[in-house]
Amino acid sequence: EPEVTQTPSHQVTQMGQEVILRCVPISNHLYFYWYRQILGQKVEFLVSFYNNEISEKSEIFDDQFSVERPDGSNFTLKIRSTKLEDSAMYFCASSDQTGGQETQYFGPGTRLLVL
Amino acid sequence: AQSVAQPEDQVNVAEGNPLTVKCTYSVSGNPYLFWYVQYPNRGLQFLLKYITGDNLVKGSYGFEAEFNKSQTSFHLKKPSALVSDSALYFCAVRDRGNFNKFYFGSGTKLNVKP
């Protein structure tokens, strides 16, 4: 069964450094998403992406964050200058359609620790 | 504001007994409702969803959930729990008018004891 994959599984970085989290969505999917989960808290929506554009973003997704689909398979989340509070599990998801009824398929997550 | 509540941090049940994991929501209009399960070191796996129609939805691994509009609930159930069902369960809601975002509950840890 096709799966969303994410790399790395764990990343440790120093405050102020840039990090890039990578995701390979399911191959025929066109809609892509990033979520994060701070330890002990809820999974929170960050951004949705379609046709090389951001469809929607949350208030969390400020100017420090950016997303990109650099080629036909990868979908990346960049944090330009990491802060301690960016430490969280980051999940990528993809779906083959939009409109609300579709199922989003999630990757295993990248655990980011900012020191 | 849209929100999802899972009132129990943890549910303990003996193998073979029925299980219920509770979820209530607050979304304007008619929502789309989902359940996901997370096993250790794995991503969120889709279990089932309610879109429209029959209030009782059947999903993967023998799970089902009942949409109750008057109580704004979408409780997850299974008639006979397995030890392998032990995991973290998330309820999620999507607003039909603003469907890009998922609103997740805080998660309920299900422990099934042999």
Side-chain angles (χ1 to χ4, degrees):
Chain A
E1 186 177 325
E3 288 185 333
V4 176
T5 59
Q6 290 184 244
T7 54
S9 58
H10 295 78
Q11 174 131 17
V12 181
T13 190
Q14 296 290 325
M15 190 169 58
Q17 294 295 304
E18 174 183 285
V19 295
I20 297 176
L21 310 183
R22 291 183 168 79
C23 168
V24 179
I26 293 173
S27 62
N28 63 337
H29 285 186
L30 300 175
Y31 302 88
F32 314 114
Y33 313 86
W34 282 102
Y35 294 81
R36 80 172 185 191
Q37 184 182 28
I38 295 172
L39 189 64
Q41 298 187 23
K42 294 185 180 185
V43 175
E44 301 171 291
F45 169 82
L46 290 178
V47 66
S48 59
F49 188 88
Y50 168 70
N51 200 26
N52 284 320
E53 289 184 349
I54 290 175
S55 311
E56 186 158 2
K57 59 183 181 179
S58 71
E59 57 276 8
I60 303 168
F61 194 88
D62 62 22
D63 292 344
Q64 294 297 319
F65 291 90
S66 62
V67 289
E68 192 179 31
R69 188 154 162 83
D71 53 43
S73 59
N74 288 284
F75 178 52
T76 62
L77 174 69
K78 183 192 291 185
I79 309 175
R80 189 175 310 128
S81 177
T82 49
K83 303 189 282 286
L84 296 176
E85 53 266 36
D86 294 327
S87 296
M89 179 76 92
Y90 288 82
F91 292 107
C92 173
S94 70
S95 64
D96 61 355
Q97 53 187 296
T98 189
Q101 301 183 23
E102 76 286 358
T103 298
Q104 292 182 14
Y105 294 89
F106 286 75
T110 294
R111 187 173 295 283
L112 176 65
L113 179 61
V114 182
L115 301 176
Chain B
Q2 330 290 29
S3 67
V4 180
Q6 291 180 245
E8 301 153 317
D9 290 335
Q10 188 165 293
V11 169
N12 299 310
V13 65
E15 188 174 33
N17 283 359
L19 69 88
T20 299
V21 182
K22 295 179 181 176
C23 172
T24 59
Y25 63 88
S26 172
V27 170
S28 57
N30 294 318
Y32 299 121
L33 299 158
F34 297 74
W35 276 101
Y36 283 84
V37 59
Q38 186 179 30
Y39 297 99
N41 301 316
R42 301 289 299 275
L44 301 170
Q45 294 182 34
F46 169 74
L47 273 182
L48 52 78
K49 63 183 176 183
Y50 171 81
I51 303 300
T52 188
D54 194 347
N55 289 343
L56 185 64
V57 178
K58 293 187 186 297
S60 307
Y61 312 120
F63 283 93
E64 57 189 30
E66 186 165 12
F67 170 57
N68 187 318
K69 187 173 181 178
S70 62
Q71 297 185 5
T72 61
S73 67
F74 190 56
H75 301 331
L76 181 70
K77 300 182 180 185
K78 187 173 181 181
S80 179
L82 299 172
V83 172
S84 57
D85 293 330
S86 298
L88 192 55
Y89 290 80
F90 290 95
C91 181
V93 168
R94 198 180 289 160
D95 183 349
R96 291 181 189 230
N98 184 13
F99 47 75
N100 276 311
K101 296 183 185 180
F102 255 134
Y103 296 93
F104 280 86
S106 53
T108 298
K109 189 170 190 307
L110 174 66
N111 296 312
V112 182
K113 294 185 166 61

